[in-house]
Every structure is written in C-alpha cells, then in structure tokens.
Amino acid sequence: MTLPGEIATERAEQVGSGVSLRVLATTDLHAHLLPFDYFTDRHAPGTGLARLGTLIAAARAASRNCLLFDNGDTLQGAPLADAAVAEIVPAGRTHPMIAAMNAMGFDAATIGNHEFDFGLPYLEASLSGAQFPIVLANANRIDGTSFLPPRHILARVMTDAEGAPHPIRIGVTGAVPPQVADWNRLYVQDQILFEDMLPAIHRQVCALKDEGADIVIVLAHSGQGAKTLVDHPENAALLVAEIPDVDAVIAGHTHRVLPDAPPARVHGVPIVQPGALGSHLGCIDLELQPPLQSDREPQWRVCGARAGTFPVSQSPKNGSKRSHRLLPDFPEVRSLIAREHRVTRAYVARPLGHSATPLETYFSTLAPCRATQLISDAQCAASAPLIAADPALRDLPVLSAVAPFKAGGRAGSTNYTDIPAGALKLRHAADLYIYPNVLSVLRITGRGLRDWLERAASLFNRIDPGKGAPQLLVDHAFAPYNFDRLIGLTYAVDVSQPPRTNADGDEIYDTPGRIRDLSFADGRPVQDDDTALVVTNSYRAAGGGHMQAAAEADTVLTSTTPIRESLARFVTEAPGPLDVTPQATWWLHPLGGVPVIFETGAGAARHNDRLADLGLRPANRPASQPGFASFLMNL
C-alpha cells in the first residue's frame, strides 16, 4: 500500500543517523465511529474511525517511527454522540470514541468547538477516560487555571535506518477557535475564558522549547484562514505555521482536505487537514537530523518534510462488514463497538409520530421545503409562550430563521435528508436537526434583516444573463447550514448580481446586493429602521457562519432546551400525522429564461412531484462534483 508523502529509503540513508518520523492525523470525526448512517439505518462505507483503522495499521507498518493525533470535534455530530450523552457516559462507561482511540493507540489530541456543545460536566466526564494527553492552549477557567493541559512533551525512543535507538522529545500543543465563547455561551459563560489562538500557541511553543522539546507539532482546530493577520481569527492554520519553532501543523474545523497533492508547506512547515467524518487520514513525514556536536543545547531538527492525505476509499472494501468484523488490527475494541452500536440503534429507533408527506432537502437551496418548515413550526411553537410573556416583545413581528443542515455543499453528494412519509422516529428528528443548539430570539432592525439575507444569498454563483450555455447555480463551497430563509418575510434573490460575501462569509464585498422586494408576510415593505424578532438557534445568534447581522442584533431570549428536543416534542404532540406545507418565503428573480444547472443529490430523481413543480428536468451532462445529479431549469 502506497502512502502519501512516504519517504524514500535512499533519502533516509543520506541523513546518516537521521530518523524518519511519520505523523498521522484525524480530525472532525464528529462521533462517526463506524461506517454506519444512524439517520437512515444503513451502512455508510466512506466514513468512520473504524474504517481508518486499516489505514492507520498499514501506515504504522510502513514506518519505523509513527505518532497518531486527533484534532478535535470528536465527541459530537452523529447519533452515537447523543446516545453517549443519554445512556452510555451517564452509566459510567467510557465514551465510545475515547475508548476506540485508546485501543488504537492515539498519542495525543486536542478538542474542537463542538466538544463544548453538551456542557462542561459531560465534556470533562468524557475526556476523563482518555489514556492519552489532551492539550488545549487557549482556554482557562475563570480562576486562571488551564481548562486542559496547554502542552505536553511525548518522550519517545525512535530508531534510525540502522536500527539504532534515539531518544526524541516531541512537543504538542493545540487550540480551538475563540468564537466558542459565543457559540456555546450558555455552557461556558462565567466559567471558561478563550484567548486568541496565535498568541496562546506562540507562548506554548516557546515553553515547549524551553522544556527541551526537539520538535513541536501544533493541533490547530482551525481552517486555513487568511495569509495575513486579522482580528480574532476563527481560521488561522496558515498563520500558525509561521510561528517560530513550529515544525508541523494539523488543521481542521472547516472539513476541507489539504493538501490536494503533496507536498504542502507554509514557509517550509508541513500542514495537513484530513477532511471530516473519517473521510481521510492525514500523513506528515518528517526527516529529523541529529543534533550537531557544536550545539550548546543539542536538539533534533527537521531537515525534510512531506504532507498528504489518504482517502478512506483507498482502504480495503470492508464498508459492508458488521461492526464486530471491523478493526481487525484492534480486536480489543471490537466487542465494545458492537455493544455501543446496538445501544445507539435502539436509542434512535424510539417512535415519535407520523408524517403524511416526505421530508427531504434535495431542493432546499432552490425553494422553500417541508423539512425546514417543520423545524420552523417547532421552534416557533417553543418560543411563542416565551415571547408572549414579555410585554416589550409580544407586539413585534416574529420571524423564524431556518436552514437545511444537510443539503450537499462541502459534505458531498450524500449529505441530504430524505425521510419518506410514514412513521417518524428519534433518528429522523436528529437527521432534520443534527446539532444540539438551543433556542434564541433576537431583536433586529430591517437593515439587519437585509444583511442577514444577503449573507445567505451568497450560496449562489453569479449568473450572466447574456450567456447562452447553462451556468452552474449553486456554489458547492458554500455550507448549506448557512443558507437561512427567514419565514415571515417574502423576497426575491437576483443571482445576476454579485454576492455580498464569499462562500465562507469571511470576506465582504461592496456590491448592490441580491435581495429584492423585501416585505413582511402581510405585504408591508421592510424599512431599514423597522424592528422585528427572529427565532433562531444559539449558534446563529452568536454570529456563527459569519452571520454578522445576527451577531450585531440583541439577544432578548435564550432557552436551555435544545431545538431538537422541541422538534421531537412538536412531532409527538401533533394530534395526527403531520401535513407540513412550506410557507411561501423566497424565490429566484426571473432572468428571462436563462438556462441554469441545479446540482443536487441523486436521490432527488425519486421526487417527481418536486421536479415538476420546480421546472427541473435531467441535464444529461456530468455534474461538476462526483456523485451529484444535474438538472436543467430556466430562470
């Protein structure tokens, strides 16, 4: 098996008594332990830490010296995480992800922002089972003590090409986006303070070198970010690589893959980001040069490096195997996995109610849909008594912000919800609302509403009405969970105009804007100085997704109940089968019949009624991204 960035034998020989070190990395596993989709109760061969086990074993076998790290967002995301919160960890068992990492021999890890989603007591209980160090440089308790150890030195004995042993000290530190202080304010306020990543990492790197670390590896739960310093960056992995004495960077958070092809370096420092959900194994190969005899404080140093990612699709085709047959190289974890797998399937199979109509998100970025309407109905029902109890709020217009959490984008062509009409179970509620966000209500101006919608409208590519050839409508780089529609308003989106932001929302452009005919549901035009309430989630209320308009609004109410729980209760308390009707909210501004290509999941072809209603027909051409289906329509 050929691994990315593998160091050639002759190169190691040229170093003489040098040492070759392989650094393996996972990130953003989001509780995907097995190649199994609990939302659909089907196997999902391209995901899961268990699938990576074969790659990890092979990578170790091909290297004399190997370390394995995880970069955070590990304990939240899939129903396995919800079952762990409800049944597994409270029962005193080790969190399944931590138990698997123990058995697979992880050397160290950091945590991501989503680790805080279930609160500090649960997080600390889950991490307590780890048999490897977990580091975090930029989080301190309110009394000034570190929430987790800010750094750690791994003392290892490594062998050179001749088999001679060499003691080497590897320093490790990590950091999380400081925005977690806002995103998880409910859980961390008055308990944890978060520092900007760069100064915190720099301080810990200096300390590691002072304490005798030969090399330093940074686990930055952060995307690449800009190449120039900005205030309070959420994504700063490229800038982390510029910190003196950093020898390798493992990035994450944005679910992207870096590099596309080795090598990938920033100022000579290798950097790797291995996708998400177990899609890739990151691999950095370092060539270490022995200390020079003339050095006053002899330390090993990096004299060569390569970085690459290894997709799980290149591993043996074991995606359909039962859980107890996975991880053949780690038999001690297989029985544990089988037990927790059964617990999770039973947990998410709990009945809630019935739906008279399908709930899918294949067309959610093209028109209002039933899936997001159901979420809106549930969160409005949960917020109504809270708003009615406050005389200062009860007379304001109430809007509801909802987005499709699974609608393609960077997560790929299988990232869609497709719930058939019939029985609704707990797994369906988790499929519709995959995050443990709580309810928030914002007071916002009319100008803020327009800015909010302009950010969401950046999902679309710019369409040139003068071009005869069909143009691609949706930008796959845009995360669909940021495509909010504001129910209670009506508006058109003019995609002939340039967007106000880039796909990530971290760059703002001076453009005329895309939102037209913005009105309240009663037909009254929205004025800049109008005031309204927006029912949304805690992540968005804190400006998550670079939604600056939400961050600048006033948070007037916050519930402690997760929206998913409100959704489940709404379904359970319905007097009969749900018959959800999407409320007319937005539409694409007509451009005189310009042909465009709408790409969505292949399962969309099963929904003939929706295809007909939206004027979609097969495009009979390959999609721009693997696995997507192409449909033609005219604007």
Side-chain angles (χ1 to χ4, degrees):
M1 183 180 294
T2 302
L3 292 165
E6 191 163 20
I7 300 173
T9 302
E10 60 268 24
R11 181 173 298 181
E13 290 175 349
Q14 291 172 1
V15 179
S17 58
V19 165
S20 298
L21 171 61
R22 168 157 289 159
V23 176
L24 304 177
T26 60
T27 191
D28 294 276
L29 292 168
H30 285 287
H32 283 69
L33 177 53
L34 292 171
F36 193 87
D37 186 344
Y38 295 99
F39 299 127
T40 61
D41 202 40
R42 292 195 297 264
H43 290 284
T47 62
L49 177 59
R51 283 293 306 275
L52 289 177
T54 300
L55 306 185
I56 291 168
R60 283 172 169 162
S63 175
R64 296 183 185 89
N65 312 291
C66 193
L67 297 174
L68 175 60
F69 299 106
D70 181 72
N71 200 38
D73 273 6
T74 308
L75 307 180
Q76 174 277 337
L80 176 73
D82 302 318
V85 172
E87 299 186 2
I88 298 171
V89 175
R93 300 198 297 272
T94 302
H95 193 290
M97 294 299 292
I98 297 294
M101 293 167 71
N102 288 339
M104 296 171 73
F106 275 73
D107 290 278
T110 191
I111 61 174
N113 51 291
H114 282 292
E115 257 71 73
F116 293 91
D117 284 355
F118 299 117
L120 296 181
Y122 174 79
L123 174 56
E124 291 174 307
S126 298
L127 297 182
S128 66
Q131 297 170 5
F132 49 88
I134 300 176
V135 295
L136 188 62
N138 65 326
N140 290 322
R141 299 183 189 274
I142 201 70
D143 62 4
T145 60
S146 298
F147 175 65
L148 291 171
R151 62 187 181 274
H152 186 83
I153 292 181
L154 301 170
R156 297 289 188 267
V157 176
M158 300 185 180
T159 59
D160 60 23
E162 303 299 325
H166 299 277
I168 298 178
R169 295 164 60 85
I170 303 96
V172 184
T173 188
V176 69
Q179 285 79 6
V180 72
D182 299 318
W183 301 335
N184 290 102
R185 183 183 299 119
L186 178 67
Y187 298 123
V188 302
Q189 189 176 27
D190 300 326
Q191 296 189 69
I192 305 291
L193 299 175
F194 293 88
E195 184 183 359
D196 275 9
M197 289 181 285
L198 295 173
I201 292 173
H202 183 268
R203 187 167 59 253
Q204 298 307 321
V205 170
C206 291
L208 286 166
K209 297 301 287 186
D210 289 343
E211 293 166 4
D214 294 292
I215 64 171
V216 174
I217 298 172
V218 178
L219 310 178
H221 189 81
S222 177
Q224 298 177 54
K227 294 182 180 179
T228 56
L229 183 62
V230 297
D231 291 336
H232 208 50
E234 174 184 345
N235 297 302
L238 296 182
L239 295 175
V240 169
E242 295 185 14
I243 295 175
D245 291 322
V246 170
D247 294 295
V249 176
I250 297 167
H253 185 53
T254 57
H255 293 200
R256 290 181 172 166
V257 178
L258 176 75
D260 295 326
R265 304 186 197 178
V266 177
H267 299 287
V269 175
I271 182 171
V272 70
Q273 184 175 353
L277 314 185
S279 65
H280 292 73
L281 178 67
C283 183
I284 296 176
D285 284 330
L286 301 174
E287 296 179 31
L288 306 183
Q289 187 178 57
L292 300 176
Q293 296 300 319
S294 59
D295 285 355
R296 292 182 178 178
E297 296 181 2
Q299 290 181 329
W300 289 74
R301 66 202 70 190
V302 175
C303 63
R306 294 186 68 188
T309 53
F310 192 26
V312 74
S313 59
Q314 294 182 24
S315 66
K317 303 296 183 180
N318 62 356
S320 62
K321 288 185 177 181
R322 294 183 181 275
S323 59
H324 66 274
R325 296 180 182 174
L326 289 166
L327 290 168
D329 302 288
F330 308 98
E332 62 272 29
V333 77
R334 286 187 291 175
S335 60
L336 176 146
I337 286 179
R339 179 181 65 179
E340 308 302 22
H341 177 56
R342 291 192 299 270
V343 168
T344 303
R345 291 187 71 187
Y347 175 76
V348 299
R350 298 174 182 178
L352 296 178
H354 290 79
S355 175
T357 59
L359 302 168
E360 45 76 22
T361 57
Y362 293 116
F363 311 99
S364 299
T365 56
L366 190 59
C369 71
R370 294 186 181 99
T372 53
Q373 185 68 48
L374 176 55
I375 296 171
S376 176
D377 292 347
Q379 64 185 27
C380 285
S383 64
L386 303 177
I387 294 172
D390 190 332
L393 305 178
R394 64 175 62 142
D395 295 327
L396 293 175
V398 179
L399 315 175
S400 179
V402 287
F405 291 113
K406 297 170 64 179
R410 295 193 298 260
S413 60
T414 61
N415 183 46
Y416 291 89
T417 292
D418 192 354
I419 302 170
L424 293 178
K425 301 179 179 180
L426 185 59
R427 64 181 172 89
H428 295 129
D431 194 1
L432 287 164
Y433 209 101
I434 63 177
Y435 298 107
N437 300 327
V438 297
L439 194 74
S440 292
V441 179
L442 306 182
R443 181 164 47 206
I444 193 170
T445 65
R447 177 183 291 276
L449 294 175
R450 184 177 294 275
D451 290 343
W452 190 318
L453 295 174
E454 288 289 357
R455 163 71 183 121
S458 298
L459 168 111
F460 300 105
N461 292 313
R462 187 179 186 182
I463 302 299
D464 183 353
K467 284 188 178 180
Q471 302 165 66
L472 184 62
L473 180 62
V474 172
D475 181 1
H476 289 300
F478 188 102
Y481 55 76
N482 289 325
F483 185 64
D484 286 358
R485 68 178 175 116
L486 294 182
I487 298 175
L489 300 176
T490 60
Y491 52 96
V493 180
D494 185 355
V495 293
S496 70
Q497 296 296 321
R500 279 278 179 89
T501 74
N502 65 347
D504 290 330
D506 54 3
E507 295 181 22
I508 300 176
Y509 311 131
D510 184 13
T511 72
R514 291 177 157 180
I515 303 302
R516 292 191 176 193
D517 305 322
L518 180 60
S519 300
F520 292 103
D522 60 6
R524 180 169 57 90
V526 174
Q527 306 295 330
D528 284 353
D529 58 354
D530 281 335
T531 302
L533 301 179
V534 177
V535 183
T536 186
N537 61 69
S538 51
Y539 171 77
R540 186 68 83 233
H546 292 274
M547 194 69 72
Q548 190 62 29
E552 293 174 353
D554 296 327
T555 300
V556 293
L557 291 172
T558 300
S559 169
T560 59
T561 302
I563 294 177
R564 187 194 299 162
E565 186 176 320
S566 298
L567 174 60
R569 184 183 302 115
F570 184 82
V571 174
T572 301
E573 294 177 353
L578 295 168
D579 190 3
V580 182
T581 301
Q583 184 173 328
T585 310
W586 69 278
W587 61 93
L588 291 171
H589 181 72
L591 299 180
V594 175
V596 296
I597 295 292
F598 176 68
E599 294 183 348
T600 185
R606 297 191 296 269
H607 297 272
N608 292 319
D609 56 337
R610 292 286 280 158
L611 293 171
D613 289 345
L614 297 170
L616 294 169
R617 55 197 185 276
N620 298 318
R621 55 177 270 182
S624 63
Q625 301 288 329
F628 284 91
S630 296
F631 295 91
L632 187 66
M633 65 180 296
N634 296 93
L635 289 183

